[in-house]
Amino acid sequence: MLQYDLHCHSTRSDGLLSPADVVRRAAARGVDVLALTDHDELAGLAEARAAAQAAGIGFVDGCELSVTWNTETVHVIGLRIDPDNAALGEGLATVRSGRDARARRIGDALEQAGIPDAFDGASGFVTSPRLISRTHFARYLIESGYVRDMKEAFKRYLTSGKPGYVPHAWASLTEVVGWIHGAGGQAVIAHPGRYKLSPAELRSLIGEFRDLGGDALEVVSPSHTAAQFNEFAALARAHGLKVSCGSDFHGVGESRLDFGDLPPLPAGSEPVWAAW
Ligand code: AMP
Ligand code: MN
Ligand code: MN
Ligand code: MN
């Protein structure tokens, strides 16, 4: 059976490896088909695709798009999108453009909390001039000794209600599903277990996504427990959605799952790649 990994990041967003190194690591660890899904960014796809060809593995053009749904940030993955699609490219440029001002506000908020120079510090970890994220702030907080690891950085400073959290309006669910489909791709709700939504709100999100023509739910993810794999597979089936899986790999030492370590999809679920 082919090993699919349809969610990971490179230095073009908040990952630690270049697109080519991401692909080489995935191939060396037994992944047969890989999607690179940088946050709000397509710039790594050409390099990754060439590396996949050289390594002899399958490659899927992907992206992880930031969405604001009912004040909650939700991530939607686009798979098999055309990286040259103009509307998608322009939409992503707009989404990215809010990140710099947001990062300055995160820096100010952390300063208020007694952590000076965090904007400059985080900027030192940025690997693409086009994209700064909370992950870069987390790496600075770790390096400066404020926290021990990523988990603590987010838990103490960077999530909703914490001193370094700044609310931000990303794209709408409708826009993002439209961009993905307009670019010939499939839309997948990433790590549904991560959102601070009640079970009723989650069903409402998934129902709205399905009504917009959304394609799949990411079921197997390091953000989920084994029980949640089955729970979300059942939820996908109940809504007529397919299922997906991905390591959400960002780098060695930072990610709970490395390439090649993904558990299989729950039996009886229809994978998003069924018709590929
Ligand atoms: P941003 O797009 O700037 O809001 O940053 C979101 C990124 O932060 C995610 O893609 C993850 O890489 C990272 N992240 C968010 N929450 C956590 C967490 N609790 N632990 C570790 N990383 C996280
Ligand atoms: Mn990330
Ligand atoms: Mn995500
Ligand atoms: Mn991700």
Side-chain angles (χ1 to χ4, degrees):
M1 227 169 58
L2 293 182
Q3 296 272 347
Y4 285 80
D5 189 323
L6 302 178
H7 185 166
C8 68
H9 300 274
S10 77
T11 46
R12 294 308 184 114
S13 63
D14 60 350
L16 292 172
L17 301 180
S18 70
D21 283 342
V22 165
V23 170
R24 284 191 279 264
R25 184 175 185 87
R29 295 185 58 89
V31 172
D32 298 300
V33 181
L34 181 75
L36 178 65
T37 57
D38 276 316
H39 297 284
D40 306 320
E41 176 62 288
L42 309 173
L45 295 176
E47 178 185 323
R49 178 169 284 284
Q53 207 154 18
I57 65 167
F59 184 73
V60 172
D61 289 306
C63 184
E64 183 174 17
L65 294 89
S66 310
V67 167
T68 301
W69 184 82
N70 287 1
T71 76
E72 176 71 9
T73 297
V74 168
H75 288 168
V76 175
I77 290 179
L79 296 174
R80 299 183 103 204
I81 40 109
D82 169 9
D84 297 322
N85 182 269
L88 174 62
E90 286 158 21
L92 292 177
T94 306
V95 175
R96 283 195 307 272
S97 71
R99 283 182 173 271
D100 289 336
R102 171 199 189 225
R104 291 199 180 271
R105 291 176 63 207
I106 293 175
D108 293 345
L110 287 171
E111 182 136 20
Q112 294 287 311
I115 299 178
D117 305 322
F119 176 79
D120 288 341
S123 300
F125 285 90
V126 164
T127 48
S128 161
R130 288 155 60 107
L131 196 134
I132 182 163
S133 88
R134 284 184 291 163
T135 311
H136 303 111
F137 281 90
R139 291 186 184 130
Y140 173 70
L141 293 173
I142 296 165
E143 182 206 51
S144 308
Y146 293 104
V147 295
R148 273 173 314 230
D149 55 24
M150 277 277 158
K151 199 174 164 193
E152 193 186 349
F154 279 89
K155 198 168 172 204
R156 282 183 57 191
Y157 291 106
L158 298 172
T159 45
S160 178
K162 300 303 161 63
Y165 184 76
V166 170
H168 188 75
W170 302 105
S172 72
L173 190 64
T174 307
E175 283 175 310
V176 157
V177 173
W179 293 337
I180 293 169
H181 284 165
Q186 285 165 286
V188 184
I189 293 189
H191 42 60
R194 260 214 357 221
Y195 308 127
K196 285 189 188 130
L197 298 173
S198 69
E201 288 170 325
L202 184 62
R203 280 196 302 276
S204 160
L205 166 68
I206 294 171
E208 203 174 298
F209 177 72
R210 188 264 325 273
D211 292 346
L212 287 168
D215 300 278
L217 274 193
E218 187 177 66
V219 160
V220 174
S221 158
S223 297
H224 296 163
T225 62
Q228 283 177 314
F229 299 165
N230 295 319
E231 191 185 310
F232 292 129
L235 208 50
R237 200 172 308 124
H239 287 84
L241 295 169
K242 298 186 175 72
V243 303
S244 187
C245 60
S247 61
D248 206 357
F249 183 81
H250 283 71
V252 179
E254 280 194 8
S255 296
R256 270 166 286 179
L257 270 187
D258 204 333
F259 292 121
D261 294 342
L262 272 181
L265 291 176
S269 44
E270 188 186 8
V272 65
W273 58 82
W276 289 3

